[in-house]
Amino acid sequence: MELLFAVLGGILLGAVAHVVVPWRRTRGVVVGPVVGGIVAAVLWEALTWAGWPYDGTWIWVVALLGAAAVALVVEVVLGRRRTAADQAHYERSVKQGV
């Protein structure tokens, strides 16, 4: 049951990352929530296999902050790469006279 709550928390933090980071128009709406949910699930499982207790504070802190951090990084990287790729495509099109 705790895994479900951890994944839901990761999804919510990923949604917040989508809203906070600029370049919203250059990536999908569900990229942040999906990345946040997956990272939270993977971190939660890895920490439980490492022996961290379910009712401990640190497992929640690490799983949720890790999910938020990875979602933010993915959102920023995808936004910048897409903007640079769009600009390069535009410049190529102008040079070719399209």
Side-chain angles (χ1 to χ4, degrees):
M1 186 58 112
E2 289 87 358
L3 175 62
L4 174 68
F5 293 135
V7 171
L8 288 174
I11 290 171
L12 289 173
L13 290 171
V16 169
H18 174 74
V19 172
V20 171
V21 175
W23 308 292
R24 268 183 233 110
R25 299 177 70 203
T26 61
R27 59 184 187 274
V29 175
V30 296
V31 170
V34 167
V35 169
I38 290 171
V39 170
V42 169
L43 282 174
W44 183 270
E45 284 301 316
L47 294 173
T48 56
W49 290 343
W52 290 26
Y54 294 130
D55 58 349
T57 303
W58 287 109
I59 192 169
W60 289 99
V61 171
V62 171
L64 294 178
L65 288 181
V70 172
L72 282 170
V73 168
V74 167
E75 296 276 339
V76 168
V77 168
L78 286 178
R80 286 183 179 171
R81 288 189 67 195
R82 175 66 187 266
T83 302
D86 287 350
Q87 184 65 30
H89 177 70
Y90 174 75
E91 290 172 4
R92 273 194 321 271
S93 297
V94 168
K95 284 182 182 178
Q96 294 175 354
V98 175

